[in-house]
Every structure is written in structure tokens, then in C-alpha cells.
Amino acid sequence: MIVIQNLSKQFRHKNQVYQALDKVSLDIAEGDIVGIIGRSGAGKSTLIRCVNMLERPDEGAVMIHGRNLATCTPKQLADERKKIGMIFQHFNLLSSRTVFDNVALPLELDKTDKATIHRKVTALLEVVGLQNKADEYPRSLSGGQKQRVAIARALANDPHLLLCDEATSALDPETTQSILQLLRDINRRLNITILLITHEMHVVKSICNHVAVIDQGKLVAQGTLETLLKESQHPVIQQFIHTQAMSLPPDIYNTLQPEYTPGLHPLVEIELEGNVAFDSLVNTFHSQYHLPYKLIKADIEYLGSTNFGRVLLHLQGTDDSNRNALLYLNSHHIKNTIRGYA
Ligand SMILES: Nc1ncnc2c1ncn2[C@@H]1O[C@H](COP(=O)(O)OP(=O)(O)OP(=O)(O)O)[C@@H](O)[C@H]1O
């Protein structure tokens, strides 16, 4: 339904040229929720802004239902844009307008009659759960409520595509979840395709059925999150999974020794990468090496039948069984780091 073909965009600034997008191609099926991830400055916003031509690409095409937006006349482009809603990290509401009037704005600009505006805005405020806030001003709303108003406004012209630029980045975790739930409902109930930028793993995991990874303006990987995590060694994906080493609980941190000393046991951080099931790993430790251990910390994401993440295990067996367990990890190419001995 949306076909992005060889999209390129350069920015020039004080004799310097930034290749923000470099021949990016991506197919998005109707009803998909696609997450775009990548480092800061990778080109994610530029890509999403080129989809509705807020940013004009230098080269390439954005085909929506067979029509290339890059070659549309201004009138055709204005019509196509009405069918593409957009929401932003900082909501972009008009502070001088009430909630109702913010949502009504695109309809007013489209010269919709008053009765229709009233009917549509009332229905949209119900969709986003703000029917009792119609007469309030944005300043009296929470961040999550502001984003709900922005979503209602983005839906005013019955779009088939919703672009979300870091839409939950300014929200606390609980509000983020409720906004994601709303986006999922909108996607299912109204069959709106969603293209979103995020830097948060849990956002992708919660709602995206596809992921596109952008690095230095290039599309470097795409697919389901599960396949990407299993198959791609690309540093952006690895970084996305493992942002930093696990923090240690204070009692362990204070007693941890960098070198082995008789009587101390290794504290090992193990990476679970989809082919390593946590349950079977600890079963092996138990059945093959009779190894007592203490699970100090776990950060595991379950995706379908596989798991990803990290665990911190304090191996508490004899020197031999501890060593054998570490050998088992290495011989099975299970990434692990000894964080110290305690
Ligand atoms: N209007 C502009 N003028 C000049 N350079 C720009 C402009 N917009 C973006 N760039 C540059 O293009 C590159 C890609 O920017 P973009 O905002 O698309 O990245 P991003 O992946 O969305 O980053 P972030 O996650 O930090 O928002 C950056 O080097 C940025 O500085």
C-alpha cells in the first residue's frame, strides 16, 4: 500500500552536506504498524517527514495507493496529505484553542460544515476518551491527554495512515502504555496503518509488527522484531537490545572483587539471544553440573516462544562446577561476562 522507493535527501549547512537519507526503500502493507529505529541523527524523522512530503526528497518516490506523492501537483498533494495524520513528541496543540477547537481545526480548514464538525469532533473525543474535556484548554491537560487531543486531531480527516514522531517520548511509562493501547485500537478498529519512530524497545515490542532500522541515512535491516533480534548482528539492533551493562545491587557491588580468590564465586552476566532459553540453561546448570546459583537480576523480554535479554547469575558451586558451567557457556557460544567474584 505504501511503497518507499530509493528515497534520498541531503541537507546543506555552512558548506557541509548531510546525507540524511540514502536510497531508502521500504514496503508497508495496509494495516501494518511499522517501527523505525536508529541512532540519533540516523535520518528517522527525515524519512517520516518525506512520506507526507513535509520534507521534499531529492530523489525517489513515495507511492501511496499507486500514486507518487513526489510528483503530485500541489492540489493533489494537499488532498493526499489530508489522508495522512501526524502526531509529534510535543503534541503541537494550539494553546489559544479549546480541546474541541483543536480537533476541529483540520475540518475547519477543509471548509466542513458546522454540523458535521460537531458530529465528528464529538465522536473523535469519544474515541480518545476525552469527551468531558471538550471545553478545556491544553494548559489544563496532562501530557497523555494532550497527546490524545493530538491523536483525535490527526484522525479528523479519516486518514488511512498515521505518522508518529516519538509520540510517547515525553510521557511517563504508564501514560505511554495507554497511548500505545489507543494507537493499537485505532489501528485495528479504523484500519489505519501506522508508521512510528521510537528509541524504546518496549514500544516496538508492544505494538509494532514490523521494524525498519535506519543507520546513517541507510535502511540497514527490516523485518519482524523477532527475526531481527535472532538474525541481525547489526550494532544498532544490538545497542537497541543492550543499552548498558546491568547495574549491580549495592550489597553485591560493595563486596565484588575483580580477581578470583579461593572462597569467592563468579558473578556472570549472560546474554540471552533467542536461541538460548533461560529455563533450559538453568536446568542444564542444575542437572549436568549440580550447580547451585542465585539469580541476582533478570531483564528478559519474551517474544513468542523465544526470549531476549540478560541475566546476572551468582554461581555458587564448587570451583570445578563453576568452571564447567562457564566452559559450557563458552563452548555453546553463549555470550557472557564475568563481572567479578563475590
Ligand atoms: N532541516 C535540516 N537542515 C539541516 N540538517 C538537517 C535538517 N534536518 C535534519 N538534518 C540533519 O539530517 C540528519 C538526520 O536527521 P533526522 O532528524 O532525520 O535524524 P533522526 O534519526 O530523526 O534523529 P533524532 O533521533 O535525534 O531525532 C542529521 O544529521 C540532522 O542534523
Side-chain angles (χ1 to χ4, degrees), residues 11-13 18 20 39-47 55 166:
F11 290 109
R12 285 164 208 281
H13 187 63
Y18 298 98
R39 299 179 174 113
S40 183
K44 306 180 293 293
S45 293
T46 307
L47 174 61
E55 206 71 76
E166 297 274 12

Side-chain angles (χ1 to χ4, degrees), residues 13-311:
H13 187 63
K14 289 185 186 164
N15 298 333
Q16 276 193 305
V17 178
Y18 298 98
Q19 189 76 38
L21 290 180
D22 191 358
K23 296 195 178 358
V24 170
S25 296
L26 180 67
D27 287 2
I28 298 164
E30 196 166 314
D32 263 0
I33 304 186
V34 179
I36 301 173
I37 63 168
R39 299 179 174 113
S40 183
K44 306 180 293 293
S45 293
T46 307
L47 174 61
I48 215 167
R49 290 163 62 82
C50 280
V51 169
N52 63 358
M53 300 288 142
L54 268 181
E55 206 71 76
R56 278 275 173 183
D58 299 329
E59 277 176 59
V62 176
M63 310 290 296
I64 298 190
H65 294 141
R67 173 176 268 178
N68 183 2
L69 266 52
T71 55
C72 277
T73 62
K75 165 82 179 79
Q76 288 169 333
L77 183 58
D79 287 343
E80 292 294 333
R81 269 202 189 133
K82 282 182 204 158
K83 298 294 167 198
I84 306 175
M86 189 161 187
I87 57 172
F88 306 86
Q89 180 176 0
H90 297 297
F91 325 122
N92 296 12
L93 301 179
L94 294 177
S95 57
S96 58
R97 284 186 155 234
T98 62
V99 164
F100 185 100
D101 289 342
N102 263 286
V103 178
L105 186 63
L107 298 167
E108 287 172 15
L109 293 175
D110 206 26
K111 309 219 175 339
T112 309
D113 65 84
K114 277 202 164 148
T116 310
I117 291 181
H118 191 269
R119 182 178 51 77
K120 284 195 95 170
V121 174
T122 308
L124 285 167
L125 289 178
E126 231 164 88
V127 168
V128 299
L130 289 181
Q131 51 275 48
N132 55 353
K133 300 281 182 193
D135 298 326
E136 299 201 13
Y137 285 86
R139 64 177 168 272
S140 65
L141 303 180
S142 68
Q145 289 169 334
K146 285 181 194 161
Q147 197 56 292
R148 284 171 186 269
V149 178
I151 291 172
R153 182 183 57 186
L155 299 180
N157 277 319
D158 306 312
H160 50 69
L161 172 65
L162 183 63
L163 306 175
C164 311
D165 194 345
E166 297 274 12
T168 56
S169 299
L171 305 175
D172 63 60
E174 208 175 310
T175 313
T176 294
Q177 278 313 317
S178 74
I179 294 293
L180 294 179
Q181 177 70 42
L182 176 62
L183 291 176
R184 199 171 22 233
D185 283 355
I186 286 168
N187 165 260
R188 287 194 190 142
R189 281 204 287 156
L190 308 177
N191 194 32
I192 295 178
T193 306
I194 297 180
L195 188 55
L196 64 87
I197 296 175
T198 184
H199 60 269
E200 294 165 303
M201 169 85 161
H202 73 96
V203 170
V204 172
K205 197 189 147 217
S206 302
I207 64 167
C208 299
N209 54 353
H210 277 92
V211 189
V213 186
I214 305 277
D215 196 30
Q216 296 180 358
K218 292 188 192 328
L219 182 87
V220 292
Q222 61 173 307
T224 64
L225 180 62
E226 202 169 341
T227 350
L228 287 190
L229 292 179
K230 262 191 208 164
E231 291 171 9
S232 179
Q233 289 303 311
H234 196 280
V236 174
I237 296 167
Q238 294 303 317
Q239 193 183 348
F240 194 62
I241 309 168
H242 312 299
T243 40
Q244 53 194 327
M246 293 182 104
S247 60
L248 301 177
D251 53 333
I252 299 266
Y253 182 81
N254 291 333
T255 54
L256 204 65
Q257 302 297 317
E259 301 292 339
Y260 170 74
T261 323
L264 295 185
H265 297 98
L267 181 70
V268 60
E269 186 169 321
I270 300 169
E271 289 190 23
L272 305 167
E273 288 192 323
N275 52 342
V276 187
F278 177 62
D279 301 353
S280 65
L281 181 67
V282 289
N283 272 342
T284 306
F285 281 0
H286 184 69
S287 60
Q288 285 194 25
Y289 306 114
H290 309 291
L291 181 74
Y293 64 85
K294 190 169 172 192
L295 178 61
I296 303 292
K297 209 166 184 182
D299 179 8
I300 306 177
E301 302 269 359
Y302 283 90
L303 287 166
S305 56
T306 48
N307 59 209
F308 301 88
R310 282 177 295 174
V311 291

